[in-house]
Amino acid sequence: MAKTIPTNTMPAHGLKVTQASDINDGDIHLDVDAVVIGSGAGGAISAYELAKAGKKVVVLEAGRYVPSEKFTEMMAVSMDAMYADHGGQSNSAGDIAVLQGTCVGGSTVVNAALCFRTPDYYLDLWARDYGLTNLTPEVLLPYFEKVEANLSIETNKSYETSAGAELLRTGMKKLSLPDSSAKRNIRDCVMTGFCFAGCKSDRKQSMLVTYLPWAAAYGAEIYADTRATRILAKNGKASGVEAQVVDPDTKEIKASVRINAPIVVAAAGPIQTPLLLQRSNLANSSGQVGKNFACHPTLSITGMFDDNVDNFHGATHSLYMDKYTMPEEGGYLLLDAVQDPTEASFQAEPGTGEPYMAYMSRYRNAVRLITLIHDQNVGEVNWNNGAKEIKYFVDDADFEIMKAGLKTNARILFAAGANKLHIPSSQPLSIDSENDIDSVIGGLKNEPARYRYTSFHPQGTCRMGADPAKTVVSPTGETHDVHNLYVVDASLLPTSIGYNPSETVYALAHYINDHINRVHS
């Protein structure tokens, strides 16, 4: 599919962004055609499509603008500067790290770039259970093709495969399990393995280097360090946004912002979008804003090998196994993943002192395999005494799915040649023999704060559907209660989808903005 990108007006490097350091006026008033809250997957595509249609667009991003030349390729530094809550965002029990990007470009800047089309299974499910008969595979196909062309979403080249992934592939083959090569939005990967810290070479086709510059080339203005505090509405229609420009270092409020706009696009993500709607007292006649939270909890088993593997170069994800991904078949996905020392240090609990030093001294021998589950939408996101609360615990049935996935995961690692496995737990937990897999993993109990889960995929808090009494957003992305207020991020997803949701969000963002432009031509 041909691109419609104004490459002749693109800057050679960097992005024009208004930051807190640029603000001297304490009050900012803007009149625009559309304001977009959030600059990640949904927000950047919205800004591009609306600006390309001739609308005057402003994008508000609560996080910093960090250009790629300032990426440190150090996970701890990047988490502090570019992740929500400095990388510390978690559920209320503190056992699930809910990792989201908070920077210009959002989570696309710090994710692993892994992309999957939405399986027809879920599109059929959403049509049957939520009235989304408009989102058929035939309707969405051209949108998937568009984003795949624009973002260079392609299957990993053979030379991009990490050393650990090659070992895991041999293990899968020994067990007669199918392996698949990952697709990522990467152009000419240099295989540094620092995707989660930001791609310094600009090879990852994040919103920072694609849709945001393209939107800016069509005239969109981008404000960083600018947190929306309230969405405004009048006579049942969106009318604008109130926001604050906050210095990210001193936390000083540099300016109050009032933006008048007949179109408001909320794309702040499945945590902040529902919180913003709650603070604004909007779009919640169904009582579903913030409800139905899912997050694809993952546990990584780390296998230790006799020889150095040096599994920290190559594609962050090289291969996956989805033989048991659909809910009726198991409900879990397996993914390989390279890891830097920071990640390695919290992906297992060998103990403290000498046990910890012994574990980290063998970092070069480690290979990680992730078990990701299709979880039930059992959580919710709310304000609790003025603070956000992610109230989510792994469901008992979901935990049994996790255990089944971990058993397959462990068998693959042993078949690949591992001699010892570490399971991320609050207490040291390891498996020394393949014969112990069923007893150790089978004996695990679903206890809060026991395991070290990680989630990169929050979703579902502003569920899309045809019934205003049960959902927040209509089948075309507009909130049922407030006209011209649209939601364009992963909070739309009616159910967990069991795969990385980024390409689903990319496609839905294009689809919804095509609708916006038809209605507001």
Side-chain angles (χ1 to χ4, degrees):
M1 179 173 292
K3 296 184 182 181
T4 54
I5 301 161
T7 53
N8 60 321
T9 58
M10 291 280 291
H13 186 69
L15 185 61
K16 183 179 180 181
V17 178
T18 300
Q19 304 173 68
S21 57
D22 302 318
I23 300 297
N24 296 312
D25 189 349
D27 290 290
I28 299 172
H29 295 268
L30 301 172
D31 294 305
V32 298
D33 299 316
V35 55
V36 179
I37 304 166
S39 65
I45 290 175
S46 297
Y48 164 68
E49 288 289 5
L50 296 173
K52 182 164 68 92
K55 294 176 175 62
K56 186 176 182 181
V57 177
V58 166
V59 180
L60 306 181
E61 170 55 55
R64 299 172 184 260
Y65 171 49
V66 185
S68 54
E69 65 266 22
K70 292 188 178 180
F71 293 164
T72 63
E73 298 188 330
M74 296 176 65
M75 186 70 176
V77 174
S78 296
M79 291 182 81
D80 179 61
M82 297 192 292
Y83 281 71
D85 296 348
H86 309 287
Q89 180 172 264
S90 68
N91 64 333
S92 55
D95 58 354
I96 305 177
V98 184
L99 300 175
Q100 284 183 291
T102 301
C103 56
V104 173
S107 294
T108 71
V109 177
V110 294
N111 69 11
L114 191 60
C115 291
F116 295 93
R117 293 184 182 183
T118 318
D120 292 353
Y121 172 96
Y122 293 102
L123 300 179
D124 294 340
L125 173 69
W126 297 347
R128 184 183 71 242
D129 292 354
Y130 299 97
L132 298 180
T133 55
N134 55 319
L135 299 180
T136 65
E138 294 75 22
V139 166
L140 288 180
L141 177 60
Y143 294 102
F144 288 129
E145 291 175 339
K146 177 185 287 189
V147 297
E148 287 166 3
N150 285 351
L151 297 177
S152 299
I153 297 173
E154 297 177 349
T155 303
N156 282 341
K157 310 295 190 299
S158 59
Y159 62 82
E160 294 174 339
T161 303
S162 68
E166 290 292 357
L167 284 173
L168 293 170
R169 200 184 301 273
T170 64
M172 290 179 181
K173 290 186 184 303
K174 286 180 181 179
L175 298 174
S176 299
L177 292 172
D179 64 88
S180 298
S181 295
K183 290 186 176 182
R184 301 182 299 148
N185 53 293
I186 300 283
R187 180 177 289 128
D188 299 327
C189 183
V190 294
M191 301 178 290
T192 62
F194 293 120
C195 279
F196 293 136
C199 181
K200 194 174 183 66
S201 66
D202 285 343
R203 306 302 177 92
K204 177 163 59 175
Q205 301 299 284
S206 73
M207 299 297 104
L208 182 64
V209 298
T210 55
Y211 280 89
L212 287 175
W214 303 340
Y218 279 117
E221 297 181 27
I222 303 167
Y223 282 71
D225 310 321
T226 306
R227 181 173 297 278
T229 55
R230 189 160 70 105
I231 296 172
L232 305 174
K234 186 176 182 181
N235 298 324
K237 293 183 178 180
S239 60
V241 171
E242 291 179 348
Q244 293 177 332
V245 179
V246 180
D247 186 299
D249 297 316
T250 67
K251 310 307 178 187
E252 174 192 2
I253 298 175
K254 298 290 294 289
S256 297
V257 182
R258 167 69 181 254
I259 301 175
N260 298 316
I263 301 170
V264 176
V265 177
I271 309 296
Q272 292 299 335
T273 288
L275 293 180
L276 180 57
L277 292 177
Q278 290 172 9
R279 291 199 305 269
S280 305
N281 294 313
L282 292 176
N284 198 21
S285 65
S286 65
Q288 295 299 299
V289 170
K291 300 292 196 297
N292 312 304
F293 175 81
C295 64
H296 291 167
T298 71
L299 287 176
S300 301
I301 295 184
T302 300
M304 307 306 293
F305 288 73
D306 290 329
D307 299 321
N308 291 342
V309 181
D310 293 338
N311 191 43
F312 34 80
H313 297 301
T316 304
H317 297 304
S318 295
L319 81 161
Y320 64 93
M321 191 194 80
D322 61 355
K323 177 178 174 65
Y324 305 111
T325 301
M326 292 304 153
E328 289 84 355
E329 298 167 347
Y332 64 87
L333 177 74
L334 299 186
L335 294 164
D336 89 292
V338 304
Q339 61 183 346
D340 77 355
T342 301
E343 290 177 280
S345 70
F346 61 72
Q347 288 295 343
E349 177 51 77
T352 60
E354 285 190 11
Y356 176 79
M357 294 302 294
Y359 169 75
M360 287 305 296
S361 70
R362 299 189 65 215
Y363 162 61
R364 297 180 64 186
N365 302 65
V367 174
R368 178 165 62 129
L369 185 58
I370 296 171
T371 300
L372 176 154
I373 63 169
H374 163 105
D375 55 327
Q376 305 302 307
N377 295 72
V378 296
E380 59 183 272
V381 176
N382 290 303
W383 283 108
N384 184 8
N385 295 322
K388 71 179 175 186
E389 179 184 43
I390 303 172
K391 190 176 180 180
Y392 177 95
F393 304 94
V394 175
D395 182 79
D396 285 343
D398 286 341
F399 188 71
E400 292 305 311
I401 292 171
M402 178 67 79
K403 287 164 62 175
L406 290 175
K407 288 180 181 180
T408 305
N409 180 331
R411 290 189 176 98
I412 291 170
L413 280 162
F414 276 125
N419 55 52
K420 185 183 184 71
L421 308 183
H422 292 276
I423 299 174
S425 172
S426 58
Q427 299 294 324
L429 183 60
S430 62
I431 304 175
D432 296 318
S433 166
E434 186 174 0
N435 295 329
D436 297 331
I437 291 174
D438 286 338
S439 60
V440 173
I441 296 178
L444 300 180
K445 305 297 183 183
N446 188 22
E447 301 170 357
R450 172 75 187 276
Y451 309 100
R452 294 182 176 180
Y453 296 99
T454 302
S455 165
F456 263 107
H457 306 155
Q459 55 198 284
T461 49
C462 294
R463 181 176 272 173
M464 176 189 269
D467 187 348
K470 297 179 180 179
T471 60
V472 177
V473 176
S474 78
T476 53
E478 186 177 38
T479 61
H480 291 298
D481 297 352
V482 182
H483 292 301
N484 304 340
L485 170 57
Y486 296 86
V487 176
V488 188
D489 56 36
S491 61
L492 290 172
L493 304 186
T495 66
S496 168
I497 61 173
Y499 288 87
N500 298 50
S502 55
E503 188 168 352
T504 297
V505 175
Y506 298 147
L508 287 176
H510 276 292
Y511 174 83
I512 291 169
N513 281 280
D514 275 359
H515 170 78
I516 296 173
N517 283 327
R518 282 194 299 270
V519 173
H520 301 276
S521 58

